[in-house]
Amino acid sequence: MTIEVVLFYALAALAVFGALAMLLFVREVVASAMGLAVTMVSLAGIYLLLEAHLIAALQIIVYAGAILVLFLFVIMLFDPNNDDFDRADPPQIAIKVAGIAAALMLGVAIAGVVSAGLPDAGELPEGFGGFRDIGLQLFTAYVIPVEAAGLLLLAAMVGAVVLAKQRID
């Protein structure tokens, strides 16, 4: 087993651990957001193993940085301690455990089916995951979706500021 394979499995396990922590700490929303951060950083590490350095940097900057800060802003905007949910009672815990077990069994079944029919990866093309190729694609073929996403984010930020201003006044 090579070091890349060991690192991949370690980062994949850390990503799954972070995702489970995000789901299991629903009552403690800040801890749940930190679980999301662990998952996003682990995915950036996997992108580094794939030699997609730009995608790894964007994963950290956009998802682990900006999106997570936005989540924490929204969490702190509303009172996280003011919820109407009952604390974990035994039937709710049993349902969570059954759901996790079913998801794990489904994941193992899908991994077994998918891994049996995958071809060898082959060599990466020159410039894979680099700035030039991604920039050309973003500003030629995908310019309208990029601009639409920017306008949507701008509208969301204006809406969040308006809602926060109304709560303060």
Side-chain angles (χ1 to χ4, degrees), residues 31-140:
S32 180
M34 291 302 111
L36 180 63
V38 168
T39 301
M40 293 303 160
V41 171
S42 300
L43 291 177
I46 291 173
Y47 288 136
L48 284 176
L49 288 175
L50 291 172
E51 296 181 13
H53 304 289
L54 175 66
I55 304 299
L58 290 175
Q59 177 78 20
I60 298 271
I61 293 167
V62 173
Y63 290 109
I67 300 297
L68 194 63
V69 167
L70 182 65
F71 283 174
L72 287 173
F73 175 74
V74 170
I75 287 169
M76 295 304 162
L77 184 64
F78 301 110
D79 187 12
N81 296 323
N82 186 13
D83 60 359
D84 295 332
F85 299 111
D86 293 332
R87 294 294 171 200
D89 53 349
Q92 189 180 40
I93 293 173
I95 290 172
K96 286 181 183 179
V97 169
I100 290 171
L104 286 175
M105 289 189 314
L106 182 64
V108 167
I110 289 174
V113 170
V114 169
S115 65
L118 292 178
D120 289 336
E123 196 64 31
L124 293 175
E126 186 63 34
F128 173 76
F131 295 96
R132 183 174 175 8
D133 292 334
I134 292 176
L136 284 173
Q137 287 294 315
L138 280 178
F139 293 113
T140 56

Side-chain angles (χ1 to χ4, degrees), residues 12-34:
L14 192 61
V16 169
F17 171 75
L20 286 175
M22 184 188 73
L23 293 175
L24 294 176
F25 293 130
V26 172
R27 303 275 187 247
E28 296 85 18
V29 288
V30 176
S32 180
M34 291 302 111

